[in-house]
Amino acid sequence: MKRLQALAASAPEGIDALNANQQALLARGRRSDRLAGAMRSSVQRSPSEASEPPDRRQLILHAAARLFSQQGYDRTSIRDISREAGLLPGSVYHHFPSKDALFLAVHREGFRRVRERASAAAALGSDPWDSLRRACEVHVSGMVGDSPIDRITGRSIGLTDHQNLLAMTLEDREAFENLYRELIAALPLAPNADRSLLRLVLLGALNWVFIWYREGRRTPEAIAAGIVDIVRRGVQA
């Protein structure tokens, strides 16, 4: 792509000096660069990783997550995903044999990310309630942040009518929810408190934040703290 950019920059006609195939290659490369830049800004990376371009598999996952979230599973094609990633369709199929496989890989990556970060945050808690708050804070931050892979764990898991696909995400969802089972099991609750129902209500509240969230009104930290406080203390005067 650098050669094409240099060729266009040195010609008086600019990009018009390139033929149709060269212009298409240049456009794909620019889309890929933009997506890579978005990934670098939305994902926490070590200083040594920050200068390295994301690999193609991660580019594809990022592009697929964005389109699955925006358009839904049925209205997103492999061609759409390859165009979003700035790649040819064959490059997508090289890493993922089908759209189903890509859908599952996106969700597996999303659940893994939020589970690992929430677990690490919870470990820093000073008591069970503080651990829960810290995990919820990470969860909300991912839901409203810039990474579509993080958002998809709560946002679009139910936005498909393909029950077979949802069933295939069950193992990863269970591994993710086990973190909240453990956190809620450690809480000092009333003897008759339904911990299973509490977990479901809490996850529902966290996953629905993206619907009403508006940047600048409440921070993810304030939202998480508020939700946990309502769960802990209630709202009755």
Side-chain angles (χ1 to χ4, degrees), residues 84-220:
E84 177 76 11
L87 302 171
L88 293 172
S91 297
V92 177
Y93 283 116
H94 174 74
H95 293 278
F96 304 97
S98 66
K99 189 170 74 166
D100 286 6
L102 183 48
F103 180 87
L104 295 174
V106 165
H107 283 80
R108 181 170 295 116
E109 177 72 2
F111 283 121
R112 181 192 65 79
R113 286 187 186 185
V114 71
R115 184 180 69 249
E116 289 182 356
R117 290 203 299 267
S119 179
L124 300 176
S126 58
D127 58 60
W129 285 108
D130 189 47
S131 292
L132 179 63
R133 179 193 60 78
R134 289 171 180 268
C136 291
E137 181 181 313
V138 168
H139 192 139
V140 173
S141 295
M143 290 294 300
V144 303
D146 294 328
S147 172
I149 294 180
D150 292 343
R151 288 197 303 271
I152 207 166
T153 57
R155 179 170 182 171
S156 69
I157 189 65
L159 302 184
T160 175
D161 293 328
H162 298 272
Q163 295 302 314
N164 60 320
L165 283 177
L166 293 179
M168 285 189 281
T169 67
L170 181 61
E171 183 177 346
D172 297 301
R173 281 186 286 143
E174 284 292 305
F176 165 69
E177 289 194 22
N178 278 340
L179 169 62
Y180 282 94
R181 287 188 177 92
E182 294 169 1
L183 291 171
I184 290 173
L187 296 176
L189 301 181
N192 60 343
D194 189 329
R195 294 176 188 264
S196 178
L197 184 58
L198 174 59
R199 172 179 54 83
L200 295 173
V201 169
L202 180 62
L203 286 172
L206 295 172
N207 290 338
W208 207 245
V209 168
F210 82 94
I211 288 289
W212 52 262
Y213 177 77
R214 296 294 181 273
E215 188 173 0
R217 294 187 181 180
R218 293 185 181 91
T219 65

Side-chain angles (χ1 to χ4, degrees), residues 35 59-65 67-68 71 73 76-89 92 96 99 102-103 106:
L35 185 61
L59 280 174
I60 294 167
L61 286 174
H62 197 87
L67 294 181
F68 286 148
Q71 303 176 178
Y73 176 81
T76 300
S77 67
I78 290 293
R79 186 171 295 277
D80 293 334
I81 294 167
S82 65
R83 187 182 302 113
E84 177 76 11
L87 302 171
L88 293 172
V92 177
F96 304 97
K99 189 170 74 166
L102 183 48
F103 180 87
V106 165

